[in-house]
């Protein structure tokens, strides 16, 4: 059995009792970064063996873990924060497990995009999630595509590119397009900016943004 276990994106209390039970009952935990995940496991006295499984080694290790699963072992996959497979490793192992008729179960739990979308105040009945935008090549093309989207668009961005992103978006989306920028969800310094792109530009100029950011942009016809 392969379990996909969402882990807290900030507050360590944001994990389900079922997730804790399965992590304890697993034969092996695959973690994006064992140095990060050990803090969570120690906090809940989980002593299950853990190995690293990330974007740089998943293609090399996937066959090893498939053989392990075929021996009726239980593997749980976790990322540093949130749900594996959503902008984090996990998809490759899930796909190959299903192709080999191995049962897969993804537990409900933390992910940054849904809380950010709901608290943004922008329409959340229909939305598109873009993950992380290209850092260089193709970035402006992607922004141009998003600008004509009628649904709310959600994506992630790193702190050192927030102001640059706003400057790139403004001439494409227009200064009056509504936007919400949510930082550090569930953490001590969580904050949410809501307003127009022009107001976002004024708000973030002169600041030194820190933390993890979720960007929510209103659709063109809303």
């Amino acid at each position: 059995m392969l379990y996909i276990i969402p882990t807290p994106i900030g507050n360590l209390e944001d994990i389900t009792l079922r997730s804790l039970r399965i992590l304890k009952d697993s034969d092996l935990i695959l973690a994006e970064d064992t140095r990060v995940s050990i803090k969570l496991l120690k906090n809940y006295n989980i002593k299950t063996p853990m190995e690293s499984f990330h974007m740089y080694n998943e293609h090399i290790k996937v066959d090893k873990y498939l053989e392990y699963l075929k021996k009726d072992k239980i593997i749980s996959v976790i990322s540093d924060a949130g749900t594996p497979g959503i902008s984090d490793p996990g998809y490759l192992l899930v796909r190959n497990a299903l192709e080999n008729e191995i049962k897969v179960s993804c537990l409900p739990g933390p992910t940054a995009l849904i809380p950010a979308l709901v608290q943004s105040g922008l329409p959340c009945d229909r939305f598109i999630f873009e993950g992380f935008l290209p850092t260089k090549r193709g970035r402006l093309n992607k922004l141009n595509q998003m600008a004509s989207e009628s649904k709310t668009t959600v994506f992630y961005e790193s702190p050192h590119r927030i102001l640059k992103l706003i400057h790139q978006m403004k001439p494409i989306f227009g200064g009056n397009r509504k936007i919400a920028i949510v930082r550090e969800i569930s953490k001590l310094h969580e904050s949410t900016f809501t307003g127009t792109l022009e107001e976002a530009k004024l708000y973030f100029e002169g600041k030194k943004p820190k933390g993890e950011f979720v960007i929510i942009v209103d659709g063109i016809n809303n």
Side-chain angles (χ1 to χ4, degrees):
M1 186 75 177
L2 175 64
Y3 285 100
I4 307 301
I5 310 289
T7 53
I9 57 177
N11 194 315
L12 291 183
E13 294 179 358
D14 293 337
I15 189 167
T16 67
L17 295 175
R18 184 182 173 211
S19 294
L20 294 175
R21 174 179 61 79
I22 291 175
L23 287 172
K24 290 179 180 179
D25 292 345
S26 296
D27 296 298
L28 178 66
I29 295 173
L30 301 184
E32 183 180 3
D33 188 334
T34 56
R35 296 167 298 181
V36 173
S37 296
I38 194 63
K39 299 174 185 177
L40 174 70
L41 301 189
K42 282 185 175 180
N43 188 72
Y44 289 104
N45 195 31
I46 297 172
K47 300 179 180 179
T48 304
M50 179 172 52
E51 295 183 10
S52 64
F53 187 69
H54 46 72
M55 63 181 294
Y56 300 109
N57 70 8
E58 59 181 346
H59 287 84
I60 300 171
K61 291 188 172 184
V62 65
D63 288 338
K64 169 187 173 181
Y65 297 130
L66 286 174
E67 291 303 315
Y68 197 72
L69 288 163
K70 289 176 182 178
K71 296 176 181 178
D72 293 328
K73 300 294 184 179
I74 298 174
I75 292 182
S76 288
V77 179
I78 59 177
S79 63
D80 291 349
T83 302
I86 307 296
S87 297
D88 286 315
Y91 163 73
L92 181 65
L93 184 56
V94 168
R95 185 188 68 186
N96 281 271
L98 292 173
E99 288 176 351
N100 284 269
E101 299 183 348
I102 295 167
K103 291 183 179 179
V104 178
S105 179
C106 180
L107 274 60
T111 182
L113 73 97
I114 297 300
L117 174 63
V118 172
Q119 71 188 46
S120 72
L122 297 175
C124 53
D125 55 334
R126 298 167 68 240
F127 67 93
I128 292 177
F129 176 61
E130 292 286 354
F132 284 96
L133 300 184
T135 56
K136 294 180 181 178
R137 187 176 181 181
R139 185 176 176 88
L140 292 180
N141 286 339
K142 175 60 71 173
L143 289 174
N144 274 290
Q145 292 173 15
M146 291 163 52
S148 59
E149 177 56 57
S150 61
K151 303 180 185 70
T152 302
T153 301
V154 185
F155 60 97
Y156 296 153
E157 186 56 282
S158 63
H160 63 275
R161 282 195 293 266
I162 286 295
L163 187 56
K164 179 180 179 181
L165 171 70
I166 294 169
H167 281 288
Q168 289 175 324
M169 290 179 67
K170 186 181 171 185
I172 298 173
F173 289 75
N176 290 324
R177 183 73 69 94
K178 294 178 182 177
I179 188 172
I181 301 175
V182 186
R183 183 178 73 94
E184 295 288 85
I185 292 175
S186 85
K187 298 179 183 177
L188 182 62
H189 300 292
E190 177 179 340
S191 64
T192 300
F193 166 87
T194 57
T196 64
L197 271 167
E198 177 61 33
E199 291 168 339
K201 174 178 172 293
L202 296 174
Y203 179 84
F204 282 98
E205 282 181 341
K207 294 183 181 294
K208 189 176 181 181
K210 297 180 181 180
E212 303 295 328
F213 285 79
V214 185
I215 316 299
I216 306 96
V217 187
D218 200 9
I220 191 170
N221 296 323
N222 292 330

